[in-house]
Amino acid sequence: MYPLSSPQMGVYAGWAAYPQTTGYNLPSVVPFPRTIDADRLAAALQRIADTREMLHTRICTDSDGRPCQYADMQMPVRVKRMRMSDDEARHFIYQDFVRPFAIDGSEPLARFAVIETPQFHYLLIDMHHVIADGLTIVHSLLGIDLPCAYQGLPLLPATGSLYQMADEEQARCLTDDYQRAAEHQRARFRDVPFARLSAETSEAWGPPCAGRRFSTGSVWMSGARLTG
């Protein structure tokens, strides 16, 4: 069991206040030419989903009610295979694929799909920001893991994990340097009232955004380099 990092706590509080928001979704779609083998592509993505512990993160609360996280490698993270027309694919991508995540541990916080159409093979990814960021998706998953898995090569060892970073942040909070810095800041702002981060305080800020959908140029990617 690991704590949430400070950035994760902010995302968690926003979700707790607005659980139906898609403002923390990170959707991506990559259109591949039909020279790419769709079955092989889906199998490569499934291998990544089965291997990377970040994709199996469950968020829960400890005995004191504090949010925490762990990797549940028994939780299935499935790659959905679909075949449809190009118009149906565009409708699904823009209207149906992105939907709210429940980050209370009841479902995976990553969704994957491979859609085969007469014109393209589409790879769809959606992750909740509490477990990932744009660098995770574009660099690590699409730029490194996917080409290795598609070619049948071993996946490279993960360099630093979500859980390790949260643990290191907690450890820094216990150091003398941190305590001295915290005392200095408390003295500087002693007349400023502070509020603890919680779902109640975040609700006053309003929802993260009205909702997230695919927008050409921001989430349509062509950075994954695969060869047939």
Side-chain angles (χ1 to χ4, degrees), residues 22-48:
T22 56
Y24 292 117
N25 289 47
L26 298 175
S28 308
V29 58
V30 185
F32 287 102
R34 287 187 57 87
T35 52
I36 294 297
D37 187 313
D39 290 331
R40 192 171 155 194
L41 178 63
L45 196 57
Q46 187 63 65
R47 181 179 161 205
I48 296 167

Side-chain angles (χ1 to χ4, degrees), residues 55-114:
L55 302 176
H56 294 260
T57 298
R58 285 192 188 271
I59 308 293
C60 57
T61 53
D62 62 18
S63 57
D64 296 321
R66 291 174 300 204
C68 51
Q69 60 188 330
Y70 68 99
D72 179 4
M73 299 306 292
Q74 301 304 311
M75 175 174 62
V77 181
R78 304 299 188 199
V79 176
K80 189 172 185 179
R81 278 297 311 273
M82 308 172 71
R83 290 182 176 86
M84 57 184 71
S85 71
D86 288 285
D87 287 343
E88 289 170 334
R90 282 188 287 270
H91 184 274
F92 177 80
I93 290 168
Y94 280 100
Q95 302 298 328
D96 299 330
F97 182 63
V98 178
R99 59 189 189 278
F101 284 98
I103 69 170
D104 57 1
S106 60
E107 66 172 353
L109 298 176
R111 300 183 184 119
F112 302 100
V114 172

